[in-house]
Amino acid sequence: RVGVCVERSPEMLAALLGVLAAGAAYVPLDPQYPRDRLALMVEDSGISVLLTQERLFAALPGGAAADVVFLDADRERIGAEPDTWPEAPVLAGSAAYVIYTSGSTGRPRGVVVPHGALAGFTAAARGAYGIGPGDRVLQFASIAFDASAEEIWPALLSGARLVLRTEEMLDSAGLFLDACRGAGITVLDLPTAYWHELVAELADTEGAALPDGVRLTIIGGERALPERLRAWRERFGGRVRLVNTYGPTEATVVATLCDLHEPHGEGEGAANPRHVPIGRPLGHARAYVLDARGEPSPVGVPGELHLGGGGLARGYLGDPARTAERFVPDPFGGGAGARLYRTGDRVRWLPDGTLEFIGRTDHQVKVRGFRVEPGEVETVLARQPGVEDAAVVAREDAPGQLRLVAYVVPQPGASPSVAALRAALRAELPPYMVPAAWVTLDALPLTRNGKTDRRALPAPDAVPEERDTGGAAPQSDVERAIAEAWQAVLGVESVGLDDNFFDLGGHSLLLARLRSRLAGRFPREVSIVVLFRYPTVRSLAEHLSGSEPAAAPVEAPDAAEVESRRAAMRRRRELKREAAE
């Protein structure tokens, strides 16, 4: 297994191609993740080689691999290698990649996807989307998420051009669309959460439109909102084909899809305006809706979705018990050794033969397209000093605004601050897993069986949250303008000078709305990068008024330290080889 920690670039694509061509499996490592989480992923996956860039090396945990290759600094050495395609025996069952998802036990869980499953999905996707040499496909997702495989492999294997997204493209819907127009994009593959924001901004911006060349938009990652679909249809009618996709990582990216294109005002899934269907199985997949006894549910009757076919993952890395629990024998004639994956998703068949997503059989949620097991967040939270008990749930107190809410019961005599708890979680978890709202309770409500009664947990707005603002309120015109924009975007009544945008429930998608409200009101440009860099009213106001202190120069990785770590890695690899011999 090969760890890949590379920024979105041609080198990233070369690294992935090289790993797969060699018959190995890649393990994507997002440098934005906390070091402790990266260290856990590195240790659990047992990577032997790390492909990275020199500027990212410092963000990685020590001992990340037995050997390291810098795709930038080692360019000449790599170029001197033979350019013939490696003759490596690649079996269909050999691992192609290992992607880590949130785990209910408090640790991320590695899903092992084989080459055969990836090849089968790629072939099915090429046919379903009609991708060909004339297409230009936007590569939007991080390789840490399997949605990237839907963008990369069908495009490259169809002779299409892959266009890499830049961070600047997310500054606003206008800039995003202008960049797509300039690149001649024909296929957009977007997280549903970003599509929601894009549609909302398009609806509010007169004259805004998709580039003429876009023929297909693919969305997926979470439930699509019917009101956004209606706004899309009103704006674009049948000019652009829209496809809603569904699929857990364990079933290789996409298992079902629903074509929402309606050239004559009618379309698949249009009969039920309350929900946007997830469609029918893709060519390589099979879908069954089963009741508690494992029997097929009739049309219209909810059951658990089970997926079969050639797209299933091998299972969970190093966790045979969990693998056996979720991947069960296929009783419906799938052939010797055939399995079904129990998704945990409640669905039902609609009369037109499409599937409708209803909810989960457990507590797993999708927040802005990210898969989150609240149990993992609860485990990290419960072990913090001063915490007696904790619960984490996803709430949608406002339509389309799903957020994680943490409920904390302090230990007797203790009063852990929200700021300290947030900081502790940020040190161990990715940003999307840190709760946006916090509630302190004397005790968690319980059911008659003594379990946490999650339905009885109060709404965050019903229990005032203590915030460490120090009583500082916005004073200047710049500060008040920023605070008013925050209040409108975040839906809060007040904002302190030193409140953090992300602590109040902000996230990367809301930054686009915030930028739109602030753009053109100040002499300095307000970009997404600026908003990320200055997440408090005070720091942003100082920047926009030109009074912030000069930023410290970014230091390059220490050459001696880098060489020392590389030497240590080489030595560990030699010792491992000697032990094996």
Side-chain angles (χ1 to χ4, degrees), residues 98-115:
V98 179
I99 283 187
Y100 280 82
T101 65
S102 181
S104 58
T105 61
R107 290 170 59 93
R109 182 182 295 122
V111 179
V112 184
V113 174
H115 281 260

Side-chain angles (χ1 to χ4, degrees), residues 138-231:
L138 181 66
Q139 203 284 295
F140 188 100
S142 162
I143 60 170
F145 301 99
D146 63 351
S148 61
E150 182 180 36
E151 301 160 347
I152 295 171
W153 307 122
L156 294 184
L157 291 177
S158 301
R161 177 176 295 186
L162 198 65
V163 179
L164 305 181
R165 173 181 66 79
T166 65
E167 294 304 314
E168 290 74 19
M169 287 176 67
L170 301 184
D171 271 0
S172 70
L175 288 175
F176 177 80
L177 295 173
D178 286 345
C180 290
R181 188 173 292 107
I185 297 296
T186 62
V187 178
L188 285 174
D189 197 333
L190 304 174
T192 301
Y194 183 76
W195 178 76
H196 284 159
E197 298 297 326
L198 183 64
V199 174
E201 193 160 344
L202 284 170
D204 293 339
T205 306
E206 186 176 354
L210 287 179
D212 292 338
V214 174
R215 65 169 184 83
L216 170 65
T217 298
I218 305 164
I219 61 174
E222 64 182 270
R223 191 193 307 234
L225 297 176
E227 55 267 32
R228 294 291 197 273
L229 176 58
R230 286 192 290 270

Side-chain angles (χ1 to χ4, degrees), residues 49-62:
V49 179
L50 173 65
L51 304 181
T52 187
Q53 293 157 311
E54 204 165 37
R55 60 184 173 276
L56 301 179
F57 193 60
L60 296 170

